[in-house]
Amino acid sequence: MTQTKAVRTVPRQIWVATRNAHKVQEIAEILGAGFLLRSLLDRPDLPDVEETGSSFYENAAIKARSLWNIVREPVFADDSGLEVDALDGRPGIHSNRYSGPEHTHEKNISKLLVELRSVPPERRTARFRCTIVYIDAAGSESSFDGVFDGYICDEPRGTEGFGYDPVFVVPESGKTVAELDAATKNSISHRGRAVVALKRLLENAR
Ligand code: IMP
């Protein structure tokens, strides 16, 4: 009689250089059970790095390299943000601190809506962008991009997600991202697309 041996796969540990719990949760859901995701939330002892780059790529690389230099294990960082056409691409790489040193997601949204108050619906087009920089255990780097197109509505709706989700509308459904469940957001979002590309690389590198 032949016996089939159960194959138990051990999740692969990978670090993500963020303290944003929402991002960690989104990324963990996309990577799935095959990966053990660790983040800076597990390492309160490490200092925050200054995001001094002038592009999503440069900031993601700064964050990923800083963590890799400490753990010397597979790491990645994402840098993401919102580009609004009527604001010449702002807030862009400054999305997180858009409303200043005391920024919160609510203050960022209020500032955005004030800046767009006289802009008509057809000119409120925008996109989220995400760039991931991944560094393997040997120090070799790869990067992945994701884009999510939509437009900015004139008042917040919904309670899911984070950041600008309550004012970013998905054209196909007319819903804001904060009105979508997590799985639906991940299937169409900038971060979802970039993480799926990273996951493909990791699975092929097995
Ligand atoms: P980061 O942590 O430097 O990448 O900053 C990202 C900032 O861009 C966040 O704090 C949000 O303001 C905005 N952002 C990025 N991704 C999203 C998203 O999926 N939904 C809403 N806002 C986002």
Side-chain angles (χ1 to χ4, degrees):
M1 198 174 88
T2 49
Q3 270 190 340
T4 325
K5 238 192 190 168
V7 180
R8 197 158 56 94
T9 47
V10 180
R12 290 160 74 185
Q13 176 168 292
I14 183 162
W15 287 89
V16 60
T18 184
R19 292 188 205 281
N20 178 329
H22 270 107
K23 273 192 188 178
V24 175
Q25 195 185 339
E26 284 186 11
I27 292 166
E29 277 167 21
I30 301 163
L31 286 178
F35 294 88
L36 174 64
L37 189 63
R38 303 202 55 197
S39 76
L40 294 178
L41 294 170
D42 303 330
R43 292 293 305 263
D45 55 310
L46 299 182
D48 283 332
V49 285
E50 254 193 274
E51 297 181 26
T52 51
S54 55
S55 64
F56 294 119
Y57 172 81
E58 285 179 14
N59 282 334
I62 288 169
K63 292 186 273 189
R65 287 169 192 157
S66 158
L67 182 57
W68 188 88
N69 280 323
I70 294 164
V71 299
R72 304 268 166 166
E73 289 175 11
V75 305
F76 68 98
D78 96 314
D79 200 61
S80 50
L82 177 71
E83 293 177 350
V84 179
D85 293 325
L87 302 177
D88 297 324
R90 277 184 288 118
I93 60 167
H94 304 295
S95 294
N96 189 37
R97 341 155 222 170
Y98 190 37
S99 53
E102 306 288 305
H103 59 86
T104 62
H105 294 318
E106 292 72 24
K107 287 186 195 168
N108 287 342
I109 286 178
S110 299
K111 177 169 178 183
L112 180 69
L113 294 182
V114 168
E115 290 207 296
L116 289 176
R117 74 181 162 245
S118 57
V119 178
E122 68 279 7
R123 290 191 45 239
R124 296 172 78 105
T125 48
R127 69 206 51 77
F128 281 123
R129 282 191 193 279
C130 173
T131 297
I132 284 178
V133 170
Y134 167 70
I135 312 179
D136 70 14
S140 169
E141 296 189 10
S142 329
S143 69
F144 308 91
D145 296 309
V147 180
F148 183 13
D149 286 301
Y151 62 88
I152 307 299
C153 57
D154 52 18
E155 58 181 46
R157 298 197 310 259
T159 54
E160 300 294 318
F162 70 100
Y164 299 90
D165 284 347
V167 291
F168 188 90
V169 180
V170 184
E172 290 74 16
S173 64
K175 287 184 178 175
T176 69
V177 179
E179 294 176 306
L180 304 179
D181 60 61
T184 306
K185 175 180 177 182
N186 289 341
S187 70
I188 53 178
S189 79
H190 50 314
R191 190 166 304 98
R193 290 180 172 134
V195 176
V196 163
L198 167 65
K199 188 177 177 184
R200 227 176 277 134
L201 172 104
L202 295 172
E203 286 173 344
N204 289 335
R206 254 177 202 286

